[in-house]
Amino acid sequence: MSNSNLPRQVRSVLEASPDALPLQELLTLVDNFVLECTSPESEALLFHLEDLQNIHHEVFDHSSLYQTEVFLAVLYHLNPILPPTLIISWFDIVFRPALREPKLPTSSVKHAKELVVAALQKTEEVYEQKVKEFRRRLMDLYLLDAFNEGSGADVLEWAELNEEQRNKRSHWKRNLEDILLKFGAKRPEDLMTEVHIHFETPDSRLQLLMFLNVYISDPSFTISSNVLATHPLTRSILRSLMLDTSSTVCTTGLALLVKLLPLYAVHARPSLKSILGELFAVLSRILVWKERPPARFPESTYEPLDQSFEQELERERNRLMTIPIRPDFQWRRLELTFDATTSLPPPLRPYFTILYYLYPSNVLKFLSSPAQYLVNLPLPSPYTLDWSEALPQDEIRRRSERLLREHVCHPLLVWRDAAAELSENEFWEKYTASRITSEASMLDVRNSALGLQLHDRSIQDKVEVAHDDGLPAHLISPIDTTNEKATIALQDMIDMTVALKSNLDVEIIHPESQWPYSLFAFPPRLANRENLEKEIPSHIVQIISGLQRELLLLRNELNSELWLSRENVQHIGRLYQDRIIAKHAEAERQGLYNKLRNYRARVVALEKELYEHKQQASSAKNKYAEWNNELQKKLKELRDEKKAWVNEEAKLRKAEKEVKALFDAQGKLLADAQNQVFLLQTQKKETQHKVDRLHDYERQIEQHIKMQRLWDDDFAMFNERKEQMDVMRSQYQQMKMQVESHQRAQIELESSARAQRLRIQVLEAQLAQAQTAHHSHRRKHLAETEVTSLIAEKTALLNTNKRLKDQNNELKDEVEELRAMVEILKAQHSGHKGLISSPRASPVQSSLHSES
C-alpha cells in the first residue's frame, strides 16, 4: 500500500470505518513511512503532518479513549521524525488530557510519556529556545498544577473531591513525575538546572526537595550523582538548610543529604571535600534548632501578647534564625511552612552519623571549636555577623554531647587527625554507596546493639521467628469519638507506630474513600488564606496543618526507609556473596588438603618402590660391568690390529690423494694464469686510450694549476691596485675639497679687493678735493698724512692681491695636475679588474701558443 494513503487510513481508523485497517497494520504502515522519510524537513513529512493536524481538528474526540489510544500510538511510531514543536503545540490538547486520564491503557500513557520526554531531549539550535520554555512549563505544571501535599488549599480541595477526581489528580501528578524522572535520567544537568531556577522561589522548595528525594532514590541516579555534585543546585540546597526557617523543608533536605553523601563519597570525592564547610555549618544550625510554638488564631482563648515581646522571645529562643542574611547572598528566606502546629527540630541523628563516618576527626574538631574551624577553611558567613558572633558555640558543644554518647567510637580516630583526613586518601575510597550507608548506620549505638543481638541469636530462634507467620493479626482498638474525651491506650499508640515503621503487612479495615466531612465545619472552596483563617476554626486548622506536616514527614521517612532498605539489601547481597565465596574457598581448600594427603601417601609408596628398583639395578649394573670389562679387553685387541691396517691404508690413500690434488691444483693455477694474462692484455688494449687521455688530463691539470696560481697573483695585484686607487680617490676627493675651499677663498679675496679698490677711488677723490682746496696749513698737513697712509694701505692691498693671485695660479696648476692624475687613474681603472672585466691573456698561455 502506498504511503500517500496514510492520512486517509488514520482517519478511517479513528472513525472506526468498516474498511479501516487493524491497528497493527496501520502502525506497520507508519513505520514504513518513517523509514522512507530522510529528514524531519522533507516535503512529504510536512504534507502528512498538516493532514494529521486536520484530522485531529475534524475527527478527534477527546472523550473517546479509543481515539486517544490510536492517535498516541500513531504519534509514538512517528516519533523519530516528529519535530519537537509539534509535540509542544499538541501538549495541551492531546498529551495533557491523556496524562490526566486514569482509564487510559498503560501502553498509551507510556507512549505519551515517551513522546514528551523525546521532545524535552531535543538539542538542535532551531528548537533550543522552545524546548527550554517547554521544560520550564512542565516544571511549573508539576509545582503549581499538580496536587501539593504541602499546600493547605490543595489539601482542603482534595478533601472535597470525589474518587474519580482524586484518581485523575493523582494520575496527573504521577505521570508528570515519571516524565521528569525519565528526563532527568537521560539529561540530568538540564533537569537540575530547571530545579535550580525554581528553587529560588521559597514556596516551591518543599515540593522540589520531595521531588529530588524521589529522583535520588531512583537506582539510575547513581551515574548522575557526580553531575549534581558540581551543579549549583547542591549549593542552593545547602544554603536552604543554613538559612530557611521551615523545619519541614530542613527535615526533607537533611534526608536528601543523607542519601547524597554516600554517593558523593563514591563518585565525587573532590566535590564532597569542597562542600565540607557548608555541611558542618548545616550541622551547627540544626544542633541549636529549638521547638517553636504554633501561631495564634482569633479563636484562641489565650490572651494576646505584645508582638514586640513575642519577637524578642523568638530571637532569644532561636537566635540563629533571626540573624539577617547578607545582601550579597540574594537569598529569600522561607518561613514556617505549617504555622498552625508546633514546629519540631529536624531529626539530626542520621545526618550526624553519615558525617561522623566519613570524616570523624574533622567532626570532632568542628564540634570542639565550630567558629574557628569554619574561619580556617575559610567559609564566609551567610549572615551579617561573623561566625564567632553568629554561632552559639557553648550550646553546640552541649547539644553534641548526646549525639556523641549515642555513637560508638570511630576506629579511624586512632590513625588519622583532621588534617590527614583531608590530605590523604580516604579509607572508604573503594567502598560502594551501600557499604558506606550500612557501615555508617552501625556507628549508631542502637543499630550496633541490634546487630550484636542478631549476631548472637541462635539458629533455633531464627527458625522460631520464621514460623511465626501463622500468628493471628493484632487489631488496634478503635477510638470512641462520641464522648467529649477520647481514651487512647499508650500501648496501642506504640503498636501503631511500630507497625507503620516496620516492614509488616498492615491491613486497613473499613477504609474511607475520602476524609470525614465531620472533620471540616466550614464551607467548601475557600478563596484565599485570609478567608481560610476567618472561616475555619483554629483547632481544625491546627489539625489539618499537623496532619499535613505529619503526612509529608511520614512520606519522607518512608522514602528514606525504602532507600535505606535498598542500600542495606545491596550490602547484604554483597556480604552474602563474599560469604559464599569464602565457603567455596574453604571447601576448595579442604579438597586440596585431602588431595595433598593422598599425594603424600602415594609419594612414600613410590619412593619405597624406587629404592627397591635402585638396588636391583645396582646388582645388575655390577654384573654388566664385569662382563663388559671382558668384552672390552677382546675388543681392544681386535681394534689395535685393525687400527694398524687402517693406518697403513690411510697413509697410502693420503699419498695418492696428495699427488692427485697437486696435479689438479697446478692445472687449475695454470689455467687461471692463462685466463688472467689474456684478460689483462685485453683490458690493457681496451683502456690504453683512456690512459693516454688521463696523461693528457694530468698535463692540462698541471697547466691549469699554474695558470690558476698566476691568476691568483694577478688578482692579488689587482686588489692592491684597487686599494691604491681607493686611496688616490680619497686623496682626490680631499684635494677637490681643498681646491673648492681655495676657490671660495679666492672669490672672497677678489670681493675684498674690489671693495678696497672702491675705497682707494674714494680716497683718491677725497685727496683730489683736498689738493684743490685752500685750507689752513694744519689741515693741509693732516690731509697729506692721510693721503700718505692711504697710499701705503693701497700698496699693501695691491701686494696682498698679487700674492693671492700667485697662490690662485699655483692652486690651479695643482688642480690641473690632479685632474691629469685622475684621468690616468680612470684610464687604468677602465682596463682589467678581476672577474668582472674582460679576460686577460695569461703570459703562460701566450707562451704556450707561441711555442705551438
Side-chain angles (χ1 to χ4, degrees):
M1 182 180 292
S2 177
N3 289 329
S4 60
N5 297 325
L6 180 61
R8 184 175 60 82
Q9 296 297 333
V10 174
R11 182 187 292 270
S12 61
V13 172
L14 289 175
E15 293 177 348
S17 301
D19 58 343
L21 292 175
L23 182 58
Q24 293 300 326
E25 294 184 8
L26 176 63
L27 297 179
T28 304
L29 188 62
V30 172
D31 292 336
N32 295 332
F33 172 72
V34 170
L35 294 176
E36 291 181 1
C37 288
T38 57
S39 64
E41 289 80 11
S42 60
E43 295 181 0
L45 175 60
L46 297 176
F47 176 74
H48 287 306
L49 290 180
E50 292 179 359
D51 292 342
L52 200 62
Q53 290 178 354
N54 295 331
I55 292 172
H56 176 268
H57 291 305
E58 296 173 3
V59 180
F60 190 75
D61 184 9
H62 296 282
S63 61
S64 175
L65 297 180
Y66 173 74
Q67 289 189 357
T68 303
E69 180 182 357
V70 172
F71 202 75
L72 288 175
V74 172
L75 290 178
Y76 179 73
H77 285 264
L78 288 173
N79 185 27
I81 58 174
L82 279 181
T85 52
L86 182 66
I87 298 176
I88 294 172
S89 61
W90 281 1
F91 179 76
D92 288 329
I93 57 178
V94 176
F95 297 100
R96 189 170 178 177
L99 295 174
R100 284 179 176 273
E101 182 56 54
K103 298 179 181 179
L104 197 66
T106 306
S107 59
S108 300
V109 177
K110 182 180 178 181
H111 291 165
K113 292 179 185 178
E114 294 293 336
L115 287 168
V116 175
V117 172
L120 291 172
Q121 295 178 18
K122 299 293 182 180
T123 57
E124 291 84 355
E125 295 182 0
V126 182
Y127 314 121
E128 184 177 1
Q129 187 61 32
K130 291 186 178 180
V131 171
K132 285 184 179 179
E133 295 176 356
F134 185 50
R135 293 172 186 167
R136 193 155 301 169
R137 187 186 173 201
L138 273 183
M139 187 60 70
D140 290 336
L141 288 175
Y142 179 76
L143 295 175
L144 302 176
D145 190 50
F147 174 64
N148 182 11
E149 296 88 346
S151 173
D154 285 2
V155 172
L156 294 176
E157 184 180 358
W158 179 270
E160 300 172 0
L161 299 177
N162 54 28
E163 191 68 24
E164 183 179 358
Q165 292 174 339
R166 290 183 183 180
N167 290 336
K168 284 186 176 182
R169 296 201 64 177
S170 301
H171 201 67
W172 169 238
K173 181 176 182 179
R174 185 165 57 252
N175 289 331
L176 278 178
E177 194 171 86
D178 290 343
I179 290 172
L180 293 176
L181 291 176
K182 290 181 180 179
F183 172 65
K186 297 178 180 179
R187 301 291 298 274
E189 188 172 359
D190 293 336
L191 176 65
M192 293 171 192
T193 302
E194 293 300 326
V195 174
H196 177 63
I197 292 173
H198 288 80
F199 204 80
E200 296 178 358
T201 306
D203 295 337
S204 303
R205 286 173 194 160
L206 177 60
Q207 202 168 355
L208 289 174
L209 287 174
M210 295 181 67
F211 170 73
L212 288 175
N213 260 314
V214 178
Y215 177 52
I216 292 170
S217 301
D218 192 84
S220 62
F221 175 76
T222 304
I223 58 177
S224 306
S225 56
N226 57 344
V227 179
L228 180 58
T230 57
H231 199 274
L233 179 59
T234 301
R235 299 282 181 179
S236 297
I237 295 172
L238 293 172
R239 191 168 292 181
S240 172
L241 292 173
M242 284 192 293
L243 301 176
D244 289 340
T245 59
S246 172
S247 62
T248 308
V249 168
C250 290
T251 302
T252 310
L254 285 179
L256 184 66
L257 281 183
V258 171
K259 299 177 184 178
L260 283 177
L261 290 181
L263 296 175
Y264 286 176
V266 176
H267 303 285
R269 289 192 298 275
S271 301
L272 178 60
K273 288 183 179 179
S274 64
I275 62 172
L276 193 59
E278 286 89 341
L279 295 174
F280 285 150
V282 172
L283 177 64
S284 64
R285 194 207 181 196
I286 306 301
L287 275 172
V288 299
W289 195 302
K290 296 181 181 179
E291 179 181 337
R292 288 181 293 175
R296 297 292 180 85
F297 289 89
E299 291 83 357
S300 177
T301 57
Y302 300 98
E303 296 180 359
L305 298 177
D306 188 9
Q307 190 70 19
S308 60
F309 176 75
E310 291 184 355
Q311 293 177 358
E312 183 67 24
L313 186 62
E314 181 64 22
R315 280 196 296 269
E316 292 296 330
R317 180 187 295 270
N318 290 308
R319 181 175 176 272
L320 197 59
M321 297 183 183
T322 58
I323 300 177
I325 304 172
R326 284 169 48 186
D328 57 338
F329 268 63
Q330 297 180 356
W331 182 262
R332 290 185 292 171
R333 175 176 281 171
L334 175 63
E335 301 297 337
L336 288 173
T337 306
F338 303 101
D339 54 0
T341 183
T342 301
S343 177
L344 298 175
L348 186 61
R349 194 163 183 163
Y351 179 67
F352 176 81
T353 302
I354 192 68
L355 273 183
Y356 181 57
Y357 175 78
L358 295 175
Y359 297 101
S361 299
N362 280 273
V363 169
L364 296 180
K365 183 178 179 181
F366 168 74
L367 292 177
S368 62
S369 55
Q372 186 64 34
Y373 184 89
L374 297 178
V375 170
N376 292 337
L377 276 178
L379 178 67
S381 173
Y383 308 106
T384 54
L385 302 177
D386 295 335
W387 286 116
S388 58
E389 300 177 359
L391 293 180
Q393 302 189 53
D394 293 337
E395 187 175 357
I396 291 175
R397 298 187 188 99
R398 185 173 59 256
R399 289 178 176 267
S400 62
E401 291 178 0
R402 180 180 177 184
L403 286 173
L404 293 174
R405 291 192 187 98
E406 293 175 348
H407 289 78
V408 299
C409 181
H410 201 290
L412 266 295
L413 289 174
V414 298
W415 293 99
R416 293 180 178 180
D417 57 0
E421 278 185 354
L422 299 179
S423 59
E424 299 177 0
N425 294 333
E426 296 84 354
F427 69 94
W428 36 260
E429 63 177 347
K430 296 183 180 180
Y431 289 4
T432 61
S434 58
R435 181 175 179 181
I436 291 175
T437 305
S438 300
E439 291 188 1
S441 63
M442 294 306 295
L443 291 177
D444 196 330
V445 173
R446 294 179 298 183
N447 297 330
S448 179
L450 181 60
L452 292 174
Q453 291 177 4
L454 294 176
H455 181 71
D456 296 336
R457 186 178 299 172
S458 61
I459 300 176
Q460 184 64 29
D461 294 338
K462 294 181 181 179
V463 173
E464 292 179 359
V465 171
H467 290 83
D468 285 344
D469 295 338
L471 296 177
H474 177 67
L475 297 177
I476 299 174
S477 58
I479 302 173
D480 186 10
T481 58
T482 57
N483 299 326
E484 296 180 356
K485 184 178 181 180
T487 303
I488 303 175
L490 180 60
Q491 186 62 39
D492 291 342
M493 295 175 63
I494 295 174
D495 293 342
M496 183 181 298
T497 304
V498 171
L500 291 174
K501 290 187 176 182
S502 62
N503 291 326
L504 300 176
D505 294 332
V506 180
E507 181 182 0
I508 302 175
I509 58 174
H510 305 298
E512 293 289 340
S513 61
Q514 58 184 359
W515 291 3
Y517 284 100
S518 59
L519 185 63
F520 308 101
F522 52 89
R525 301 187 181 276
L526 299 178
N528 50 30
R529 181 83 183 194
E530 296 178 359
N531 294 333
L532 182 72
E533 294 180 356
K534 291 179 181 179
E535 301 182 12
I536 302 177
S538 61
H539 67 281
I540 299 297
V541 173
Q542 291 180 359
I543 292 174
I544 294 174
S545 181
L547 290 175
Q548 275 186 270
R549 185 175 186 277
E550 188 68 21
L551 177 63
L552 291 177
L553 294 179
L554 286 175
R555 287 189 177 181
N556 187 25
E557 187 175 356
L558 176 62
N559 194 2
S560 301
E561 291 294 334
L562 291 176
W563 173 81
L564 184 60
S565 300
R566 188 189 69 194
E567 297 297 327
N568 288 334
V569 166
Q570 292 180 1
H571 186 58
I572 291 170
R574 185 185 62 81
L575 294 177
Y576 181 73
Q577 185 178 4
D578 294 344
R579 183 180 178 185
I580 294 298
I581 293 174
K583 286 183 177 180
H584 290 172
E586 179 65 22
E588 186 176 359
R589 188 184 66 82
Q590 189 65 29
L592 292 175
Y593 178 74
N594 295 332
K595 288 182 180 180
L596 179 61
R597 187 169 56 187
N598 295 332
Y599 289 155
R600 284 178 178 174
R602 291 178 62 183
V603 165
V604 171
L606 290 174
E607 286 179 350
K608 184 177 181 181
E609 185 177 355
L610 179 62
Y611 180 73
E612 294 176 355
H613 285 299
K614 282 183 178 181
Q615 288 182 346
Q616 294 177 2
S618 178
S619 61
K621 185 177 180 182
N622 294 330
K623 293 179 181 180
Y624 173 75
E626 293 176 357
W627 179 70
N628 194 18
N629 289 331
E630 294 177 358
L631 291 178
Q632 288 293 335
K633 290 178 181 179
K634 294 180 181 179
L635 182 62
K636 186 177 180 181
E637 295 174 356
L638 294 174
R639 282 181 178 174
D640 293 337
E641 186 179 358
K642 184 179 180 181
K643 187 176 181 180
W645 295 345
V646 171
N647 289 333
E648 186 177 358
E649 183 183 3
K651 288 179 181 179
L652 295 174
R653 288 182 179 177
K654 184 176 181 182
E656 183 183 4
K657 287 182 180 179
E658 289 177 355
V659 172
K660 289 182 179 180
L662 181 61
F663 288 156
D664 294 338
Q666 289 178 352
K668 290 181 180 179
L669 289 174
L670 181 60
D672 292 340
Q674 290 177 354
N675 292 331
Q676 190 173 7
V677 169
F678 177 75
L679 291 174
L680 289 174
Q681 291 177 354
T682 305
Q683 188 176 6
K684 181 180 179 182
K685 292 178 181 179
E686 290 177 354
T687 59
Q688 185 63 39
H689 67 284
K690 294 182 180 180
V691 172
D692 297 339
R693 188 178 297 175
L694 286 174
H695 290 304
D696 295 339
Y697 286 160
E698 288 176 354
R699 287 193 298 270
Q700 291 179 7
I701 288 170
E702 290 177 357
Q703 293 175 1
H704 287 158
I705 290 171
K706 292 179 181 179
M707 293 174 65
Q708 183 67 32
R709 290 174 181 172
L710 294 175
W711 188 261
D712 292 339
D713 295 338
D714 291 343
F715 268 114
M717 183 178 66
F718 290 157
N719 291 330
E720 291 177 358
R721 292 290 181 86
K722 181 180 178 182
E723 292 177 356
Q724 293 176 1
M725 289 177 65
D726 292 336
V727 174
M728 295 178 68
R729 188 180 290 110
S730 63
Q731 291 177 357
Y732 169 72
Q733 292 293 335
Q734 293 177 359
M735 295 177 68
K736 186 177 179 181
M737 293 173 65
Q738 289 180 0
V739 169
E740 290 177 355
S741 63
H742 287 314
Q743 287 178 354
R744 286 194 296 272
Q746 183 181 358
I747 292 170
E748 291 177 356
L749 290 174
E750 288 177 355
S751 60
S752 63
R754 283 195 298 271
Q756 292 295 332
R757 284 196 295 270
L758 290 176
R759 187 176 179 185
I760 290 170
Q761 291 175 1
V762 172
L763 292 175
E764 287 178 353
Q766 291 178 0
L767 181 61
Q769 290 179 2
Q771 290 177 357
T772 58
H774 297 281
H775 296 288
S776 63
H777 178 72
R778 185 177 179 182
R779 294 183 63 183
K780 183 177 180 180
H781 179 72
L782 292 172
E784 291 178 356
T785 306
E786 186 178 357
V787 169
T788 304
S789 64
L790 289 174
I791 292 170
E793 186 178 356
K794 179 181 178 182
T795 304
L797 290 173
L798 289 174
N799 293 330
T800 304
N801 190 12
K802 184 178 181 181
R803 182 174 54 79
L804 292 174
K805 284 182 179 180
D806 294 336
Q807 291 180 357
N808 191 11
N809 292 328
E810 292 176 359
L811 291 174
K812 285 182 178 179
D813 293 337
E814 291 179 0
V815 169
E816 291 296 331
E817 292 177 359
L818 290 173
R819 286 179 179 175
M821 291 176 66
V822 169
E823 291 297 331
I824 293 170
L825 291 174
K826 285 183 178 179
Q828 293 178 358
H829 183 68
S830 62
H832 306 291
K833 186 180 179 183
L835 298 174
I836 300 175
S837 62
S838 61
R840 180 182 177 184
S842 175
V844 178
Q845 291 182 355
S846 60
S847 64
L848 290 175
H849 285 296
S850 63
E851 289 177 0
S852 62

